[in-house]
Amino acid sequence: VPIALKGSTARASQLSAPPQLKNSALDRLFAEAMHTGMKDYEERLLDIKSELFTAARGYLDSLPAPQVLEVGIGVGPNLRFLGSDVKIFGLEPNKYMIPYLEEEAARVGLDVQVVHGVAESMTTIPSESMDMVVCTLVLCSVTDVSRALQEMARVLKPDGRLLIIEHVRGTGLTRLGQRAFSPLQQLLADGCHLDRDFTDVPAASRLFDVSGIRAVQVPGLGLLSD
C-alpha cells in the first residue's frame, strides 16, 4: 500500500554511537538476503516507487535545503530516487546493512548519515527537523506501529511529508497463506509480519492527512503482492 502524506564524494557515515541493538547471525543473513534477494521485488515496484518519489521530489525541490529521514534504510534501495541536493539520514538497527548501504551510496553518488536506532524510539533525531520521512517495507516488522508513526510525526516539520510503501494482509487464499507462513517469516526476516493489517492504523493515529492512501496489487509477488 503506497501512502503519500502529510555530494560528489559518496559515503555513509554514522551520526551517533549505536545503542544496544541486535547482533546475531540472523541479522547478518538478513542483511545479505536484502542485498541479493530483493532485486525482483524492487523491479516489480519500480513504477510505483517512481511515481511516488517523483511527486516527493516535486515537494523537496521547492525547499532551500531539504532534509529526508529514511526509517529502516537497509541496503539503500530508495537512494536512487533522491537527488544530491537532499541531506539524507538513514535510521537502521541492523549494523550488517551498513556495508551494503555504503556500496549503494557510492554507486548513486550520495552522502548518507546513518543513525543507529529503531522506528519506535528515534531519540537522536530532533523534533520537527525533517522535511520528509520515507518508510518502505518497515512497518511490517516494527513492534509497535502506532508508536513508530508517532515518532515519525514528531520528527517531521509541521508541513512535512510522510511517504510509506507497505505490504498488507491479503484476502482469500492469500490471507490463509500469509497466516500460515507469517511465524517463519518473522523468524527469518527480522520480525516481518506477512498478515499485519494496516487498514485503520494511520487514521487511528490521528497524526496525518490520510487522503493520499491508495491500495495496489503487484502481480508476481506471491504472499507480498498486496
Side-chain angles (χ1 to χ4, degrees), residues 214-225:
R214 62 188 177 94
V216 298
Q217 189 169 54
V218 184
L221 293 180
L223 299 180
L224 298 177
S225 61

Side-chain angles (χ1 to χ4, degrees), residues 2-6 52 55-56 59 131-134 139 149 152 156 159-165 201-203 205 207-214:
I3 305 174
L5 311 174
K6 174 197 167 179
L52 288 175
Y59 170 70
D131 297 293
M132 181 170 291
V133 170
V134 174
L139 290 181
L149 288 169
M152 293 179 204
L156 276 170
D159 57 348
R161 301 289 187 270
L162 171 62
L163 188 153
I164 292 179
I165 299 175
V201 170
S205 71
L207 297 171
F208 302 102
D209 172 8
V210 296
S211 59
I213 294 177
R214 62 188 177 94

Side-chain angles (χ1 to χ4, degrees), residues 22 61 65 73 76 80 82 85 116 123 125 135 176 187 206:
K22 295 183 297 180
D61 288 345
I73 194 169
R80 58 177 167 166
L82 297 170
D85 58 326
H116 291 265
T123 55
I125 306 294
C135 181
L176 291 176
L187 176 64
R206 303 182 186 280

Side-chain angles (χ1 to χ4, degrees), residues 5-82:
L5 311 174
K6 174 197 167 179
S8 63
T9 302
R11 58 185 173 84
S13 58
Q14 294 186 5
L15 181 65
S16 60
Q20 294 296 320
L21 298 170
K22 295 183 297 180
N23 180 2
S24 69
L26 284 178
D27 282 338
R28 186 191 298 272
L29 289 173
F30 182 61
E32 291 177 1
M34 293 298 290
H35 177 60
T36 61
M38 292 294 287
K39 290 181 173 59
D40 182 62
Y41 194 97
E42 290 295 332
E43 193 63 31
R44 292 180 184 273
L45 283 179
L46 181 59
D47 289 344
I48 294 171
K49 283 192 173 186
S50 295
E51 178 185 346
L52 288 175
F53 277 97
T54 296
R57 283 294 322 198
Y59 170 70
L60 294 173
D61 288 345
S62 69
L63 305 175
Q67 295 198 138
V68 172
L69 170 67
E70 179 161 4
V71 176
I73 194 169
V75 298
N78 297 323
L79 291 181
R80 58 177 167 166
F81 299 106
L82 297 170

